[in-house]
Amino acid sequence: MAELPIPDLPPARCSGRFTISTFLGMEEGGRGPYTPTEGSSCDSVQPTQLSSSTLCTRTFGYNTVDVVPAYEHYANSKGVGDPRKGRPSLADLHSILKPDPGRLRTPVSDLQHSNGLPEAGPEAGLEEAEGEPGRDSEPEPVRFGWVKGVMIRCMLNIWGVILYLRLPWITAQAGIALTWLIILMSVTVTTITGLSISAISTNGKVKSGGTYFLISRSLGPELGGSIGLIFAFANAVAVAMHTVGFAETVRDLLQEHNSLIVDPTNDIRIIGVITVTVLLGISLAGMEWEAKAQILFFLVILVSFINYLVGTVIPATAEKQAKGFFSYRADIFAQNFVPNWRGPEGSFFGLFSIFFPSATGILAGANISGDLKDPAVAIPKGTLMAIFWTTMSYLVLSATIGACVVRDASGSLNDSVAVGSPGCEGLACSFGWNFTACAQQQSCRYGLSNYYQSMSMVSGFGPLITAGIFGATLSSALACLVSAPKVFQCLCKDQLYPLIGFFGKGYGRNSEPIRGYMLTYVIAVGFILIAELNAIAPIISNFFLCSYALINFSCFHASITNSPGWRPSFRYYSKWAALFGAAVSVVIMFLLTWWAALIAFGIVIFLLGYVLYKKPDVNWGSSMQASSYNMALNYSVGLSEVDEHIKNYRPQCLVLTGPPNFRPALVDFVGTFTKNLSLMLCGNVLIGPWKQKMPESRLMADGHTKWLMKRKIKAFYTDVVAEDLRSGVQMLIQAAGLGKMRPNILVLGYKRNWRTASPQSLEDYVGILHDAFDFKYGVCLMRMKEGLNVSRVLQAHVNPTFEAAEHPENGTGSRAAPGTVDPTTLASEQQASTIFQSKQGKKTIDIYWLFDDGGLTLLIPYLLGRKKRWGKCKIRVFVGGQINRMDEERKAIVSLLSKFRLGFHEVHILPDINQKPRPEHIKRFDELIAPFRLNDGFKDEATVNEMRQGCPWKISDEEVDKNRAKSLRQVRLNEILRDYSRDAALIAITPPIGRKGRCPSSLYMAWLETLSQDLRPPIILTRGNQENVLTFYCQ
């Protein structure tokens, strides 16, 4: 905890609490920590000049930089580690406090005495400020509660013409019992979806965007974007569907009175366009007027219900009896309780597919989430109450009309007979009516099974039922007309798809999507003018069902991932019920119209594929991210329980790149053969004091990772801070990886400047190779004629102030000045091209498998040859041998390679490997090691060690003599390489191993230098850890 001295201050009238700027000024004061000032009191309420910038409500009376929990610290929170408004950083509390007004100044001002919440500052968006206590915003947007905003809106969208025109007919077909089962099955799906909506909408602050917002923020932009687009389109077309339903009813009324405007088809178009234009005007007038219109429609529907219920208890007139209405009768209820299937649609699932769309519409409230006072309360409460009351209305209507009206009636007053008349069949005979003739001939015009307007006939006043139909269709059309632009506006703002950003602009205090309204209007008018909605209607229903399925799956997926961020305040949901709801929604899609379901799935998959391809730069903390973590964790732990097997060996590489952008060729080489195959980890050793280098490490890590992603290299980046290069690499070798996902190969660049570099850096470099072998690592050194390090080029073109690396060619350490290159610049810099990014054509990859290292020298070129850019290269294998046994040795190697199934067929034996090299090349080697020789004159070992004290890289005369044959072999191998592989695309060769403690570092580097010098192709010096990485066994 940072404790600061306190200067003499005026009496604190603000509860003895201080601003951070006050603390900074205290460093010059002479008072001790936590010393109270005179007159300080936590209960003081007198005014003070510090009142606008004080932390009165941010501490609890102590003199400390720390603050108490507050709302503004968490508002607009994004990724882990982002700074929060008003909260001191860890450095402010843990490190030495330095005056930095730009970073420490608190944005909190004029705290409200009532609740301690700040006013909405200029940086606070409208969505953050809306509806929260203590915020004084102007003008105040219109916000709705759960009744007006959600329940009434959902009930109006659920009720539709099916309630008035089809439910009595379904009751006649399926009977009251199965009709109730159909209703309850449909409601089960919508209720489960409602519970899932409730859970998702109470798991954090819900903003505008409705269904799209809920799905995209839960499952991610891929599924959310595709559903958002088709859901907005479905709502736009649904406007046309409901408007045409209204227009058809008006057209029928005009036909009854012989008052058609033009003809039946064009009348629908004319009435539909006029109607949708009026609805657009209501929507453009604002959400307040739209809500008033919805309440009017709601009252009309309630009056029509009451009118119907009153009509069922009014004694039936002779006209109504002739049409099959006899008021409540137990025997009518009993007869209508069981099914009586008729016609091609007379089946349970056929009637279910007809009724189910009337149970949908539960998303109408969620779709205007941005216009609700408290969406987390309004959406669950309003949606579930709407489902409950509409379900009750369906059940009551089915039971009451099934108890009042017989299935068949002629409508003729002449069919009345005396009770018990002979030849009369059917239930109506006991009521004095004989409908036997029309029932047998199936020509009855009235009754539940034949007359769709049965509710109007039963009601006390028929025109009120027509008004109810008008209210149901217009309210549904108006709800869809509002929902489509609201959802589409949120989708446009997220910019997941091209060319739609124009429609994301909002106008007015409610940020109304005027452009979205006009687009929806154009789409609706287009489909109204087509006037052929029978084909498109099933697709629209399937789009809505897609949304239900994904909402349920979102709830299930978020629950199953066990993410700590999944904490919905609505607890009455089940992840398994949500999964069941998702599965049933998909099944219902195919039950309704299988071809429409396939079309809906095809569109979703296409849009999903587009977003997956584009990879939008958004991070919403979706359950897919949590699932990825869960899967990675479970698989990593599970992998630790499995013993390793040679067949599953993978080259997992720790690549000492330093900053990866400094050595792109090294990164590309390893990335080529590890991509989608094995682990690649780029390591960087920051050399210097820990306190100085830690800020650089935190600053640059994200930039290096983004640079790798931009280059499409599937690798991790990690760095360590160490006093010297070798100790840092030792840390990486020991600590890198997780479980079985640990590196087993150390890859680094060849140190070209070993002769001119400091002797200690030479000793460290060779020591790193020894450390790798000590830890059972394989080693891979890469040398290119032009070198690997491009930091000097970057220094010239990217940032002239950047300090070049301390070890420019060893592929490891970095002494970059802290803060000289920011992560954004690093990730956006121009990518350097390398040989490993271009196609190699029909060149050769030459492998010099001189020593059996377990097969690693063969495996890496084989993996490289599987890649497209290297696929046309012919792989040649060279091995050492004797001139008198060339055929036998070649056959043996070919047989061994065939058992390994590597596909290497061209094998060359090198019989002249032990010949003496040319004198000029021997002389060049002697000149190479001359500066490093001790020139001790073959003295004894003790004298040599004493002479070599402090310079272990020196080579004694005896070491030169003992290793003479090995040195000449490297010279000869270089001659062979230049003869055979001058034009190869790549050379892979097994290097010699210098015995630790017996081979000075300078001598070993001279061997590597001699072996690989004067060669144009890239050279890979690969040495396994002498354990098999290839096998020809099946187990």
Side-chain angles (χ1 to χ4, degrees), residues 316-326 329 409 431 433 435:
T317 62
E319 290 80 4
K320 289 188 177 182
Q321 287 184 355
K323 295 179 180 179
F325 172 63
F326 298 98
R329 300 295 176 96
F431 307 134
W433 293 86
F435 303 136

Side-chain angles (χ1 to χ4, degrees), residues 44-79:
S44 175
V45 294
Q46 298 180 21
T48 173
Q49 59 183 345
L50 296 177
S51 61
S52 64
S53 59
T54 186
L55 300 179
C56 288
T57 59
R58 305 186 68 215
T59 66
F60 41 88
Y62 288 95
N63 178 12
T64 173
V65 177
D66 245 342
V67 297
V68 296
Y71 169 87
E72 62 270 13
H73 302 161
Y74 298 89
N76 271 332
S77 59
K78 295 179 182 177

Side-chain angles (χ1 to χ4, degrees), residues 656-676:
L656 301 184
T657 59
N661 59 321
F662 278 14
R663 297 170 180 84
L666 189 63
V667 171
D668 290 340
F669 163 65
V670 181
T672 300
F673 70 81
T674 59
K675 186 175 183 180
N676 299 326

Side-chain angles (χ1 to χ4, degrees), residues 4-7 9 19-29 99:
L4 303 171
I6 304 173
L9 293 173
T19 62
I20 291 179
S21 58
T22 304
F23 284 133
L24 296 176
M26 293 178 183
E27 293 187 350
E28 299 178 358

Side-chain angles (χ1 to χ4, degrees), residues 744-865:
N744 50 29
I745 300 175
L746 182 70
V747 183
L748 65 164
Y750 176 74
K751 188 174 180 62
R752 296 175 67 205
N753 66 338
W754 65 274
R755 284 170 290 178
T756 58
S758 65
Q760 185 57 49
S761 69
L762 168 64
E763 191 72 13
D764 285 348
Y765 182 80
V766 177
I768 288 171
L769 304 182
H770 289 309
D771 294 338
F773 289 131
D774 287 341
F775 286 106
K776 290 287 186 179
Y777 271 56
V779 171
C780 181
L781 279 74
M782 182 178 179
R783 181 173 187 179
M784 296 182 68
K785 186 175 182 180
E786 62 274 16
L788 294 173
N789 194 303
V790 297
S791 60
R792 297 186 184 278
V793 179
L794 294 178
Q795 178 182 351
H797 292 88
V798 178
N799 194 331
T801 67
F802 198 86
E803 182 181 338
E806 173 76 10
H807 304 279
E809 288 302 335
N810 62 14
T812 52
S814 172
R815 289 186 181 271
T820 54
V821 177
D822 63 275
T824 305
T825 303
L826 182 64
S828 60
E829 72 179 24
Q830 185 176 359
Q831 298 278 342
S833 59
T834 67
I835 187 175
F836 298 98
Q837 292 181 315
S838 57
K839 292 185 178 181
Q840 298 303 309
K842 296 183 179 180
K843 298 180 181 179
T844 63
I845 299 176
D846 291 350
I847 304 172
Y848 288 83
W849 195 23
L850 305 178
F851 308 102
D852 191 353
D853 61 344
L856 187 62
T857 306
L858 294 174
L859 182 61
I860 290 179
Y862 165 73
L863 296 175
L864 200 65

Side-chain angles (χ1 to χ4, degrees), residues 514-559:
I514 304 297
R515 298 173 179 176
Y517 280 128
M518 300 309 298
L519 178 64
T520 304
Y521 173 77
V522 170
I523 294 174
V525 168
F527 280 97
I528 289 171
L529 294 178
I530 291 173
E532 288 293 336
L533 294 176
N534 290 336
I536 198 70
I539 300 177
I540 302 306
S541 298
N542 278 286
F543 283 168
F544 287 118
L545 278 168
C546 266
S547 304
Y548 290 4
L550 281 178
I551 286 174
N552 284 309
F553 183 73
S554 299
C555 182
F556 166 76
H557 197 263
S559 302

Side-chain angles (χ1 to χ4, degrees), residues 487-508:
V487 173
F488 193 58
Q489 181 186 33
C490 185
L491 180 64
C492 294
K493 287 181 177 179
D494 288 338
Q495 297 181 345
L496 299 183
Y497 298 102
L499 307 178
I500 62 174
F502 173 79
F503 299 99
K505 183 176 175 59
Y507 296 87

